[in-house]
């Protein structure tokens, strides 16, 4: 079985009933929704209430800096305390591609949510775009574990994150032609990798450019199996185990 550790699901984008059935057909049995703005969190809460094997991480994406208040952070805390299907804080982080003029505000929001995760003993899901050094420097100051979501950096940096206690989140980009990610992943142990789609974004080949869906997780797993020269079932078993350990999924069922 497979777990999609990171997808954005909304009823506008998907027929959720059909999606869950199609996922099950493809052996994708467990989904973790990333609710990373107020609307996404509200929608995710409805979905996890309706489906047994769907969980959620909640947090405010760096794109939400202008509208996120301390009250909103308190809201996250209340949600975690009252809903057992919330299994982590994320996606949170730094994005210097889109909001490069607001670095300090981004760092502040990131820090607050990392502190919340520490307080609640929750793993974190990290978004880092064009901000590797700052992301790493900040994470180094916290004692947390989590996933570096949609990893696209160097092998050296991946090793540093792993040393801190993070998994490397691998998605559809792995299936793209000419991606440097293939050579990075080749040198990593499967013990340090989790699978994700980031649906509806970043659909894997041969669906590149279309709307992504968690049912495509096996396409990413197949590419990973090819690169690592192992069976797809090994990839499924190890990456599922990694995700269950990180998010303590049994405890939340
Ligand atoms: Ni995402």
């Amino acid at each position: 079985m497979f777990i999609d550790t990171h997808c954005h699901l909304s009823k506008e984008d998907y027929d959720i009933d059909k999606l869950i059935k199609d996922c099950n057909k493809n052996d994708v049995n467990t989904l973790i929704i990333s609710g990373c703005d107020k609307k996404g969190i509200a929608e995710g809460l409805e979905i996890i209430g309706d489906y047994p094997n769907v969980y959620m991480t909640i947090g405010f994406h760096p794109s939400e800096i202008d509208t996120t208040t301390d009250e909103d952070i308190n809201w996250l805390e209340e949600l975690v305390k009252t809903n057992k299907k919330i299994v982590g804080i994320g996606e949170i982080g730094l994005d210097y591609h889109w909001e490069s003029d607001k670095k300090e505000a981004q760092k502040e929001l990131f820090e607050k949510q990392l502190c919340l995760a520490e307080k609640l003993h929750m793993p974190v899901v990290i978004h880092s775009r064009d901000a590797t050094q700052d992301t790493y420097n900040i994470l180094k100051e916290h004692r947390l574990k989590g996933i570096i979501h949609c990893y696209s950096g160097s092998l050296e940096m991946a090793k540093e994150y792993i040393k801190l206690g993070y998994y490397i989140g691998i998605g559809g980009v792995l299936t793209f032609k000419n991606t440097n990610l293939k050579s990075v992943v080749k040198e990593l142990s499967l013990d340090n990798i989790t699978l994700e789609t980031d649906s509806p974004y970043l659909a894997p080949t041969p669906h590149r450019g279309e709307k992504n869906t968690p049912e495509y997780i096996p396409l990413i797993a197949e590419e990973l199996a090819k690169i690592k020269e192992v069976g797809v079932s090994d990839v499924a078993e190890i990456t599922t185990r990694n995700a269950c350990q990180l998010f303590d999924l049994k405890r939340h069922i």
Side-chain angles (χ1 to χ4, degrees), residues 32-38 40-45 48 55-61 72-83 85-92 113-114 116-117 120 122-125 247:
I32 301 179
I33 298 174
S34 171
C36 59
D37 56 27
K38 282 170 205 155
I41 292 170
E43 285 183 327
L45 288 171
I48 61 174
Y55 300 87
M56 198 176 176
T57 62
I58 58 171
F60 292 104
H61 190 279
D72 296 325
I73 308 284
N74 293 340
W75 179 53
L76 297 181
E77 182 169 356
E78 276 313 304
L79 288 175
V80 168
K81 286 179 174 168
T82 52
N83 193 322
K85 295 186 83 184
I86 296 171
V87 294
I89 301 296
E91 58 184 287
I92 57 174
Q113 296 183 95
L114 291 172
L116 178 66
L120 299 171
M122 295 231 111
V124 288
V125 177
F247 292 112

mmCIF file of all heavy atoms in Angstrom, residues 32-38 40-45 48 55-61 72-83 85-92 113-114 116-117 120 122-125 247:
data_model
loop_
_atom_site.group_PDB
_atom_site.id
_atom_site.type_symbol
_atom_site.label_atom_id
_atom_site.label_comp_id
_atom_site.label_asym_id
_atom_site.label_seq_id
_atom_site.Cartn_x
_atom_site.Cartn_y
_atom_site.Cartn_z
ATOM 1 N N ILE A 32 -2.758 12.216 3.258
ATOM 2 C CA ILE A 32 -2.600 13.274 4.243
ATOM 3 C C ILE A 32 -2.768 14.609 3.510
ATOM 4 O O ILE A 32 -1.953 14.981 2.662
ATOM 5 C CB ILE A 32 -1.228 13.199 4.945
ATOM 6 C CG1 ILE A 32 -1.081 11.825 5.639
ATOM 7 C CG2 ILE A 32 -1.095 14.345 5.968
ATOM 8 C CD1 ILE A 32 0.233 11.609 6.342
ATOM 9 N N ILE A 33 -3.865 15.260 3.833
ATOM 10 C CA ILE A 33 -4.158 16.547 3.202
ATOM 11 C C ILE A 33 -3.294 17.617 3.846
ATOM 12 O O ILE A 33 -3.128 17.642 5.068
ATOM 13 C CB ILE A 33 -5.641 16.929 3.409
ATOM 14 C CG1 ILE A 33 -6.561 15.905 2.762
ATOM 15 C CG2 ILE A 33 -5.927 18.334 2.868
ATOM 16 C CD1 ILE A 33 -8.046 16.143 3.047
ATOM 17 N N SER A 34 -2.747 18.495 3.009
ATOM 18 C CA SER A 34 -2.023 19.653 3.537
ATOM 19 C C SER A 34 -2.962 20.859 3.488
ATOM 20 O O SER A 34 -3.278 21.368 2.415
ATOM 21 C CB SER A 34 -0.780 19.909 2.672
ATOM 22 O OG SER A 34 -0.187 21.130 3.021
ATOM 23 N N GLY A 35 -3.423 21.279 4.661
ATOM 24 C CA GLY A 35 -4.276 22.468 4.735
ATOM 25 C C GLY A 35 -3.392 23.649 5.098
ATOM 26 O O GLY A 35 -2.874 23.708 6.208
ATOM 27 N N CYS A 36 -3.175 24.571 4.162
ATOM 28 C CA CYS A 36 -2.148 25.573 4.426
ATOM 29 C C CYS A 36 -2.647 27.008 4.281
ATOM 30 O O CYS A 36 -1.854 27.941 4.208
ATOM 31 C CB CYS A 36 -0.916 25.318 3.586
ATOM 32 S SG CYS A 36 -1.206 25.314 1.829
ATOM 33 N N ASP A 37 -3.969 27.171 4.236
ATOM 34 C CA ASP A 37 -4.575 28.503 4.409
ATOM 35 C C ASP A 37 -5.943 28.265 5.053
ATOM 36 O O ASP A 37 -6.363 27.115 5.225
ATOM 37 C CB ASP A 37 -4.681 29.272 3.083
ATOM 38 C CG ASP A 37 -5.455 28.512 2.015
ATOM 39 O OD1 ASP A 37 -6.325 27.675 2.372
ATOM 40 O OD2 ASP A 37 -5.204 28.746 0.831
ATOM 41 N N LYS A 38 -6.633 29.342 5.411
ATOM 42 C CA LYS A 38 -7.868 29.146 6.189
ATOM 43 C C LYS A 38 -8.900 28.314 5.428
ATOM 44 O O LYS A 38 -9.546 27.427 5.982
ATOM 45 C CB LYS A 38 -8.459 30.500 6.583
ATOM 46 C CG LYS A 38 -7.711 31.111 7.745
ATOM 47 C CD LYS A 38 -8.110 32.548 7.997
ATOM 48 C CE LYS A 38 -6.964 33.261 8.688
ATOM 49 N NZ LYS A 38 -6.955 34.701 8.489
ATOM 50 N N GLY A 40 -8.381 26.174 2.935
ATOM 51 C CA GLY A 40 -7.900 24.798 2.773
ATOM 52 C C GLY A 40 -8.062 23.991 4.051
ATOM 53 O O GLY A 40 -8.396 22.799 4.012
ATOM 54 N N ILE A 41 -7.813 24.645 5.184
ATOM 55 C CA ILE A 41 -7.957 23.951 6.470
ATOM 56 C C ILE A 41 -9.432 23.608 6.713
ATOM 57 O O ILE A 41 -9.767 22.470 7.062
ATOM 58 C CB ILE A 41 -7.387 24.809 7.623
ATOM 59 C CG1 ILE A 41 -5.863 24.930 7.486
ATOM 60 C CG2 ILE A 41 -7.742 24.192 8.982
ATOM 61 C CD1 ILE A 41 -5.213 25.947 8.419
ATOM 62 N N ALA A 42 -10.317 24.585 6.474
ATOM 63 C CA ALA A 42 -11.743 24.343 6.693
ATOM 64 C C ALA A 42 -12.244 23.203 5.803
ATOM 65 O O ALA A 42 -12.976 22.309 6.258
ATOM 66 C CB ALA A 42 -12.535 25.627 6.425
ATOM 67 N N GLU A 43 -11.820 23.204 4.544
ATOM 68 C CA GLU A 43 -12.265 22.143 3.622
ATOM 69 C C GLU A 43 -11.688 20.790 4.018
ATOM 70 O O GLU A 43 -12.376 19.772 3.985
ATOM 71 C CB GLU A 43 -11.827 22.482 2.201
ATOM 72 C CG GLU A 43 -12.675 23.572 1.590
ATOM 73 C CD GLU A 43 -12.273 23.849 0.147
ATOM 74 O OE1 GLU A 43 -11.069 23.729 -0.183
ATOM 75 O OE2 GLU A 43 -13.157 24.183 -0.629
ATOM 76 N N GLY A 44 -10.430 20.813 4.403
ATOM 77 C CA GLY A 44 -9.776 19.567 4.811
ATOM 78 C C GLY A 44 -10.453 18.948 6.022
ATOM 79 O O GLY A 44 -10.623 17.728 6.096
ATOM 80 N N LEU A 45 -10.851 19.790 6.968
ATOM 81 C CA LEU A 45 -11.500 19.280 8.182
ATOM 82 C C LEU A 45 -12.781 18.522 7.845
ATOM 83 O O LEU A 45 -13.081 17.482 8.432
ATOM 84 C CB LEU A 45 -11.811 20.431 9.143
ATOM 85 C CG LEU A 45 -10.595 21.056 9.847
ATOM 86 C CD1 LEU A 45 -11.013 22.326 10.582
ATOM 87 C CD2 LEU A 45 -9.935 20.074 10.808
ATOM 88 N N ILE A 48 -11.639 15.057 6.259
ATOM 89 C CA ILE A 48 -11.116 14.044 7.198
ATOM 90 C C ILE A 48 -12.219 13.536 8.126
ATOM 91 O O ILE A 48 -12.128 12.431 8.653
ATOM 92 C CB ILE A 48 -9.892 14.525 8.013
ATOM 93 C CG1 ILE A 48 -10.212 15.750 8.891
ATOM 94 C CG2 ILE A 48 -8.709 14.794 7.105
ATOM 95 C CD1 ILE A 48 -9.062 16.158 9.811
ATOM 96 N N TYR A 55 -6.050 11.900 6.578
ATOM 97 C CA TYR A 55 -5.556 12.690 7.705
ATOM 98 C C TYR A 55 -5.171 14.073 7.194
ATOM 99 O O TYR A 55 -5.296 14.374 6.006
ATOM 100 C CB TYR A 55 -4.342 11.998 8.334
ATOM 101 C CG TYR A 55 -4.663 10.614 8.839
ATOM 102 C CD1 TYR A 55 -4.578 9.512 7.986
ATOM 103 C CD2 TYR A 55 -5.073 10.414 10.143
ATOM 104 C CE1 TYR A 55 -4.901 8.241 8.433
ATOM 105 C CE2 TYR A 55 -5.384 9.156 10.612
ATOM 106 C CZ TYR A 55 -5.294 8.064 9.747
ATOM 107 O OH TYR A 55 -5.613 6.821 10.198
ATOM 108 N N MET A 56 -4.618 14.853 8.093
ATOM 109 C CA MET A 56 -4.351 16.228 7.683
ATOM 110 C C MET A 56 -3.176 16.819 8.454
ATOM 111 O O MET A 56 -2.973 16.505 9.634
ATOM 112 C CB MET A 56 -5.608 17.020 8.006
ATOM 113 C CG MET A 56 -5.695 18.319 7.305
ATOM 114 S SD MET A 56 -7.299 19.030 7.724
ATOM 115 C CE MET A 56 -7.077 20.559 6.885
ATOM 116 N N THR A 57 -2.420 17.668 7.785
ATOM 117 C CA THR A 57 -1.507 18.564 8.496
ATOM 118 C C THR A 57 -2.058 19.970 8.295
ATOM 119 O O THR A 57 -2.681 20.258 7.261
ATOM 120 C CB THR A 57 -0.065 18.497 7.947
ATOM 121 O OG1 THR A 57 -0.051 18.924 6.575
ATOM 122 C CG2 THR A 57 0.495 17.083 8.038
ATOM 123 N N ILE A 58 -1.863 20.823 9.290
ATOM 124 C CA ILE A 58 -2.385 22.187 9.179
ATOM 125 C C ILE A 58 -1.288 23.198 9.516
ATOM 126 O O ILE A 58 -0.423 22.937 10.356
ATOM 127 C CB ILE A 58 -3.603 22.423 10.107
ATOM 128 C CG1 ILE A 58 -3.245 22.140 11.579
ATOM 129 C CG2 ILE A 58 -4.782 21.588 9.671
ATOM 130 C CD1 ILE A 58 -4.346 22.560 12.553
ATOM 131 N N GLY A 59 -1.328 24.316 8.815
ATOM 132 C CA GLY A 59 -0.342 25.360 9.059
ATOM 133 C C GLY A 59 -0.542 26.460 8.040
ATOM 134 O O GLY A 59 -1.346 26.300 7.119
ATOM 135 N N PHE A 60 0.196 27.552 8.207
ATOM 136 C CA PHE A 60 0.046 28.653 7.257
ATOM 137 C C PHE A 60 1.285 28.765 6.371
ATOM 138 O O PHE A 60 2.402 28.952 6.850
ATOM 139 C CB PHE A 60 -0.254 29.963 7.988
ATOM 140 C CG PHE A 60 -1.614 29.945 8.636
ATOM 141 C CD1 PHE A 60 -1.756 29.766 9.998
ATOM 142 C CD2 PHE A 60 -2.756 30.041 7.857
ATOM 143 C CE1 PHE A 60 -3.010 29.712 10.581
ATOM 144 C CE2 PHE A 60 -4.030 29.991 8.427
ATOM 145 C CZ PHE A 60 -4.153 29.829 9.792
ATOM 146 N N HIS A 61 1.018 28.597 5.098
ATOM 147 C CA HIS A 61 2.031 28.696 4.035
ATOM 148 C C HIS A 61 2.628 30.103 4.051
ATOM 149 O O HIS A 61 1.935 31.060 4.424
ATOM 150 C CB HIS A 61 1.274 28.433 2.722
ATOM 151 C CG HIS A 61 2.123 28.254 1.528
ATOM 152 N ND1 HIS A 61 2.642 29.314 0.829
ATOM 153 C CD2 HIS A 61 2.540 27.130 0.883
ATOM 154 C CE1 HIS A 61 3.338 28.858 -0.198
ATOM 155 N NE2 HIS A 61 3.289 27.536 -0.181
ATOM 156 N N ASP A 72 -4.896 33.267 14.674
ATOM 157 C CA ASP A 72 -4.944 32.134 13.738
ATOM 158 C C ASP A 72 -4.022 31.006 14.202
ATOM 159 O O ASP A 72 -4.340 29.823 14.050
ATOM 160 C CB ASP A 72 -4.542 32.578 12.325
ATOM 161 C CG ASP A 72 -5.523 33.578 11.737
ATOM 162 O OD1 ASP A 72 -6.727 33.456 12.019
ATOM 163 O OD2 ASP A 72 -5.068 34.491 11.020
ATOM 164 N N ILE A 73 -2.883 31.378 14.750
ATOM 165 C CA ILE A 73 -1.951 30.353 15.262
ATOM 166 C C ILE A 73 -2.606 29.639 16.455
ATOM 167 O O ILE A 73 -2.491 28.421 16.598
ATOM 168 C CB ILE A 73 -0.605 30.987 15.695
ATOM 169 C CG1 ILE A 73 -0.017 31.867 14.575
ATOM 170 C CG2 ILE A 73 0.385 29.910 16.152
ATOM 171 C CD1 ILE A 73 0.611 31.161 13.430
ATOM 172 N N ASN A 74 -3.298 30.410 17.290
ATOM 173 C CA ASN A 74 -4.028 29.794 18.417
ATOM 174 C C ASN A 74 -5.100 28.832 17.914
ATOM 175 O O ASN A 74 -5.363 27.794 18.518
ATOM 176 C CB ASN A 74 -4.686 30.866 19.292
ATOM 177 C CG ASN A 74 -3.654 31.703 20.014
ATOM 178 O OD1 ASN A 74 -2.501 31.283 20.168
ATOM 179 N ND2 ASN A 74 -4.052 32.896 20.440
ATOM 180 N N TRP A 75 -5.719 29.208 16.808
ATOM 181 C CA TRP A 75 -6.741 28.347 16.192
ATOM 182 C C TRP A 75 -6.118 26.993 15.793
ATOM 183 O O TRP A 75 -6.706 25.936 16.034
ATOM 184 C CB TRP A 75 -7.334 29.062 14.969
ATOM 185 C CG TRP A 75 -8.386 28.305 14.218
ATOM 186 C CD1 TRP A 75 -9.516 27.741 14.737
ATOM 187 C CD2 TRP A 75 -8.417 28.032 12.805
ATOM 188 N NE1 TRP A 75 -10.245 27.138 13.731
ATOM 189 C CE2 TRP A 75 -9.601 27.303 12.541
ATOM 190 C CE3 TRP A 75 -7.572 28.346 11.739
ATOM 191 C CZ2 TRP A 75 -9.950 26.878 11.258
ATOM 192 C CZ3 TRP A 75 -7.911 27.934 10.453
ATOM 193 C CH2 TRP A 75 -9.095 27.210 10.221
ATOM 194 N N LEU A 76 -4.923 27.038 15.226
ATOM 195 C CA LEU A 76 -4.241 25.787 14.859
ATOM 196 C C LEU A 76 -4.088 24.908 16.094
ATOM 197 O O LEU A 76 -4.344 23.700 16.063
ATOM 198 C CB LEU A 76 -2.845 26.056 14.267
ATOM 199 C CG LEU A 76 -2.728 26.847 12.964
ATOM 200 C CD1 LEU A 76 -1.259 26.957 12.561
ATOM 201 C CD2 LEU A 76 -3.519 26.195 11.838
ATOM 202 N N GLU A 77 -3.673 25.534 17.187
ATOM 203 C CA GLU A 77 -3.443 24.777 18.424
ATOM 204 C C GLU A 77 -4.741 24.124 18.905
ATOM 205 O O GLU A 77 -4.752 22.940 19.268
ATOM 206 C CB GLU A 77 -2.870 25.706 19.498
ATOM 207 C CG GLU A 77 -2.576 24.973 20.788
ATOM 208 C CD GLU A 77 -1.765 25.789 21.779
ATOM 209 O OE1 GLU A 77 -1.341 26.916 21.453
ATOM 210 O OE2 GLU A 77 -1.561 25.280 22.903
ATOM 211 N N GLU A 78 -5.814 24.887 18.869
ATOM 212 C CA GLU A 78 -7.111 24.340 19.289
ATOM 213 C C GLU A 78 -7.516 23.156 18.415
ATOM 214 O O GLU A 78 -8.005 22.135 18.902
ATOM 215 C CB GLU A 78 -8.203 25.429 19.170
ATOM 216 C CG GLU A 78 -8.290 26.338 20.366
ATOM 217 C CD GLU A 78 -8.292 25.565 21.675
ATOM 218 O OE1 GLU A 78 -9.146 24.680 21.881
ATOM 219 O OE2 GLU A 78 -7.386 25.845 22.488
ATOM 220 N N LEU A 79 -7.299 23.312 17.116
ATOM 221 C CA LEU A 79 -7.674 22.240 16.188
ATOM 222 C C LEU A 79 -6.887 20.967 16.485
ATOM 223 O O LEU A 79 -7.447 19.868 16.520
ATOM 224 C CB LEU A 79 -7.433 22.680 14.736
ATOM 225 C CG LEU A 79 -8.392 23.727 14.174
ATOM 226 C CD1 LEU A 79 -7.950 24.151 12.772
ATOM 227 C CD2 LEU A 79 -9.818 23.178 14.118
ATOM 228 N N VAL A 80 -5.581 21.125 16.687
ATOM 229 C CA VAL A 80 -4.750 19.942 16.969
ATOM 230 C C VAL A 80 -5.239 19.250 18.231
ATOM 231 O O VAL A 80 -5.317 18.020 18.297
ATOM 232 C CB VAL A 80 -3.260 20.345 17.115
ATOM 233 C CG1 VAL A 80 -2.436 19.198 17.687
ATOM 234 C CG2 VAL A 80 -2.689 20.782 15.772
ATOM 235 N N LYS A 81 -5.590 20.051 19.233
ATOM 236 C CA LYS A 81 -5.990 19.472 20.522
ATOM 237 C C LYS A 81 -7.349 18.789 20.469
ATOM 238 O O LYS A 81 -7.651 17.963 21.312
ATOM 239 C CB LYS A 81 -6.013 20.564 21.592
ATOM 240 C CG LYS A 81 -4.602 20.977 22.014
ATOM 241 C CD LYS A 81 -4.660 22.067 23.042
ATOM 242 C CE LYS A 81 -3.265 22.367 23.576
ATOM 243 N NZ LYS A 81 -3.258 23.610 24.356
ATOM 244 N N THR A 82 -8.156 19.169 19.486
ATOM 245 C CA THR A 82 -9.514 18.627 19.466
ATOM 246 C C THR A 82 -9.766 17.644 18.315
ATOM 247 O O THR A 82 -10.843 17.061 18.240
ATOM 248 C CB THR A 82 -10.561 19.764 19.361
ATOM 249 O OG1 THR A 82 -10.213 20.597 18.254
ATOM 250 C CG2 THR A 82 -10.596 20.599 20.627
ATOM 251 N N ASN A 83 -8.813 17.480 17.433
ATOM 252 C CA ASN A 83 -9.045 16.592 16.291
ATOM 253 C C ASN A 83 -7.871 15.617 16.129
ATOM 254 O O ASN A 83 -6.767 16.011 15.743
ATOM 255 C CB ASN A 83 -9.225 17.425 15.011
ATOM 256 C CG ASN A 83 -9.767 16.580 13.877
ATOM 257 O OD1 ASN A 83 -9.390 15.414 13.720
ATOM 258 N ND2 ASN A 83 -10.661 17.153 13.084
ATOM 259 N N LYS A 85 -7.259 13.472 13.991
ATOM 260 C CA LYS A 85 -6.799 13.177 12.628
ATOM 261 C C LYS A 85 -5.873 14.250 12.068
ATOM 262 O O LYS A 85 -5.429 14.152 10.933
ATOM 263 C CB LYS A 85 -7.991 12.931 11.709
ATOM 264 C CG LYS A 85 -8.747 11.663 12.144
ATOM 265 C CD LYS A 85 -9.821 11.306 11.182
ATOM 266 C CE LYS A 85 -9.248 10.524 10.013
ATOM 267 N NZ LYS A 85 -10.300 10.246 9.010
ATOM 268 N N ILE A 86 -5.571 15.228 12.886
ATOM 269 C CA ILE A 86 -4.538 16.201 12.490
ATOM 270 C C ILE A 86 -3.213 15.659 13.003
ATOM 271 O O ILE A 86 -3.043 15.449 14.207
ATOM 272 C CB ILE A 86 -4.838 17.591 13.066
ATOM 273 C CG1 ILE A 86 -6.151 18.107 12.468
ATOM 274 C CG2 ILE A 86 -3.684 18.547 12.769
ATOM 275 C CD1 ILE A 86 -6.666 19.367 13.117
ATOM 276 N N VAL A 87 -2.309 15.381 12.076
ATOM 277 C CA VAL A 87 -1.110 14.615 12.430
ATOM 278 C C VAL A 87 0.192 15.409 12.308
ATOM 279 O O VAL A 87 1.271 14.866 12.525
ATOM 280 C CB VAL A 87 -1.027 13.315 11.582
ATOM 281 C CG1 VAL A 87 -2.178 12.380 11.933
ATOM 282 C CG2 VAL A 87 -1.009 13.625 10.083
ATOM 283 N N GLY A 88 0.099 16.684 11.956
ATOM 284 C CA GLY A 88 1.325 17.465 11.844
ATOM 285 C C GLY A 88 1.017 18.924 11.555
ATOM 286 O O GLY A 88 -0.136 19.301 11.328
ATOM 287 N N ILE A 89 2.087 19.732 11.596
ATOM 288 C CA ILE A 89 1.973 21.163 11.290
ATOM 289 C C ILE A 89 2.635 21.402 9.934
ATOM 290 O O ILE A 89 3.816 21.100 9.736
ATOM 291 C CB ILE A 89 2.687 22.010 12.387
ATOM 292 C CG1 ILE A 89 2.082 21.750 13.774
ATOM 293 C CG2 ILE A 89 2.633 23.499 12.039
ATOM 294 C CD1 ILE A 89 0.630 22.159 13.947
ATOM 295 N N GLY A 90 1.854 21.926 8.975
ATOM 296 C CA GLY A 90 2.431 22.193 7.668
ATOM 297 C C GLY A 90 1.359 22.335 6.600
ATOM 298 O O GLY A 90 0.192 22.034 6.858
ATOM 299 N N GLU A 91 1.671 22.834 5.404
ATOM 300 C CA GLU A 91 3.047 23.118 5.113
ATOM 301 C C GLU A 91 3.383 24.543 5.530
ATOM 302 O O GLU A 91 2.627 25.477 5.278
ATOM 303 C CB GLU A 91 3.351 22.906 3.629
ATOM 304 C CG GLU A 91 2.487 23.749 2.696
ATOM 305 C CD GLU A 91 2.764 23.436 1.233
ATOM 306 O OE1 GLU A 91 3.829 23.823 0.706
ATOM 307 O OE2 GLU A 91 1.890 22.805 0.618
ATOM 308 N N ILE A 92 4.540 24.660 6.150
ATOM 309 C CA ILE A 92 5.027 25.946 6.634
ATOM 310 C C ILE A 92 6.456 26.118 6.110
ATOM 311 O O ILE A 92 7.095 25.135 5.730
ATOM 312 C CB ILE A 92 5.024 25.996 8.171
ATOM 313 C CG1 ILE A 92 5.877 24.846 8.757
ATOM 314 C CG2 ILE A 92 3.592 25.893 8.709
ATOM 315 C CD1 ILE A 92 6.043 24.913 10.272
ATOM 316 N N GLN A 113 5.263 28.928 14.070
ATOM 317 C CA GLN A 113 4.625 27.629 13.827
ATOM 318 C C GLN A 113 5.551 26.474 14.201
ATOM 319 O O GLN A 113 5.088 25.414 14.636
ATOM 320 C CB GLN A 113 4.158 27.549 12.377
ATOM 321 C CG GLN A 113 3.072 28.594 12.108
ATOM 322 C CD GLN A 113 2.529 28.508 10.702
ATOM 323 O OE1 GLN A 113 1.516 27.867 10.448
ATOM 324 N NE2 GLN A 113 3.204 29.148 9.768
ATOM 325 N N LEU A 114 6.857 26.684 14.075
ATOM 326 C CA LEU A 114 7.790 25.655 14.538
ATOM 327 C C LEU A 114 7.699 25.525 16.059
ATOM 328 O O LEU A 114 7.738 24.416 16.611
ATOM 329 C CB LEU A 114 9.230 26.000 14.113
ATOM 330 C CG LEU A 114 9.517 25.918 12.612
ATOM 331 C CD1 LEU A 114 10.909 26.477 12.300
ATOM 332 C CD2 LEU A 114 9.412 24.483 12.094
ATOM 333 N N LEU A 116 5.091 26.170 17.822
ATOM 334 C CA LEU A 116 3.820 25.489 18.092
ATOM 335 C C LEU A 116 3.987 23.969 17.943
ATOM 336 O O LEU A 116 3.519 23.193 18.779
ATOM 337 C CB LEU A 116 2.730 25.996 17.136
ATOM 338 C CG LEU A 116 1.366 25.328 17.279
ATOM 339 C CD1 LEU A 116 0.734 25.652 18.625
ATOM 340 C CD2 LEU A 116 0.430 25.744 16.140
ATOM 341 N N ALA A 117 4.676 23.559 16.880
ATOM 342 C CA ALA A 117 4.896 22.120 16.660
ATOM 343 C C ALA A 117 5.688 21.512 17.809
ATOM 344 O O ALA A 117 5.384 20.396 18.259
ATOM 345 C CB ALA A 117 5.620 21.904 15.332
ATOM 346 N N LEU A 120 3.428 21.101 20.803
ATOM 347 C CA LEU A 120 2.421 20.055 20.631
ATOM 348 C C LEU A 120 3.036 18.689 20.302
ATOM 349 O O LEU A 120 2.314 17.720 20.087
ATOM 350 C CB LEU A 120 1.445 20.456 19.514
ATOM 351 C CG LEU A 120 0.646 21.738 19.753
ATOM 352 C CD1 LEU A 120 -0.118 22.145 18.494
ATOM 353 C CD2 LEU A 120 -0.333 21.551 20.906
ATOM 354 N N MET A 122 4.552 17.679 17.521
ATOM 355 C CA MET A 122 4.054 17.254 16.217
ATOM 356 C C MET A 122 5.156 17.365 15.171
ATOM 357 O O MET A 122 5.997 18.274 15.246
ATOM 358 C CB MET A 122 2.933 18.195 15.767
ATOM 359 C CG MET A 122 1.699 18.149 16.615
ATOM 360 S SD MET A 122 0.279 17.907 15.552
ATOM 361 C CE MET A 122 -0.193 16.276 16.003
ATOM 362 N N PRO A 123 5.135 16.473 14.180
ATOM 363 C CA PRO A 123 6.058 16.639 13.058
ATOM 364 C C PRO A 123 5.651 17.835 12.184
ATOM 365 O O PRO A 123 4.508 18.303 12.273
ATOM 366 C CB PRO A 123 5.936 15.332 12.288
ATOM 367 C CG PRO A 123 4.624 14.766 12.673
ATOM 368 C CD PRO A 123 4.283 15.287 14.041
ATOM 369 N N VAL A 124 6.587 18.296 11.370
ATOM 370 C CA VAL A 124 6.320 19.454 10.513
ATOM 371 C C VAL A 124 6.535 19.096 9.043
ATOM 372 O O VAL A 124 7.343 18.229 8.723
ATOM 373 C CB VAL A 124 7.229 20.657 10.889
ATOM 374 C CG1 VAL A 124 6.788 21.274 12.209
ATOM 375 C CG2 VAL A 124 8.702 20.262 10.939
ATOM 376 N N VAL A 125 5.799 19.771 8.181
ATOM 377 C CA VAL A 125 5.985 19.617 6.733
ATOM 378 C C VAL A 125 6.474 20.962 6.208
ATOM 379 O O VAL A 125 5.797 21.987 6.379
ATOM 380 C CB VAL A 125 4.676 19.193 6.041
ATOM 381 C CG1 VAL A 125 4.883 19.117 4.536
ATOM 382 C CG2 VAL A 125 4.206 17.853 6.590
ATOM 383 N N PHE A 247 4.308 10.226 11.278
ATOM 384 C CA PHE A 247 3.020 10.832 11.683
ATOM 385 C C PHE A 247 2.305 10.005 12.743
ATOM 386 O O PHE A 247 1.194 10.354 13.148
ATOM 387 C CB PHE A 247 2.119 10.997 10.447
ATOM 388 C CG PHE A 247 2.622 12.026 9.474
ATOM 389 C CD1 PHE A 247 3.098 11.654 8.222
ATOM 390 C CD2 PHE A 247 2.621 13.372 9.805
ATOM 391 C CE1 PHE A 247 3.563 12.603 7.312
ATOM 392 C CE2 PHE A 247 3.085 14.335 8.907
ATOM 393 C CZ PHE A 247 3.555 13.946 7.663
#
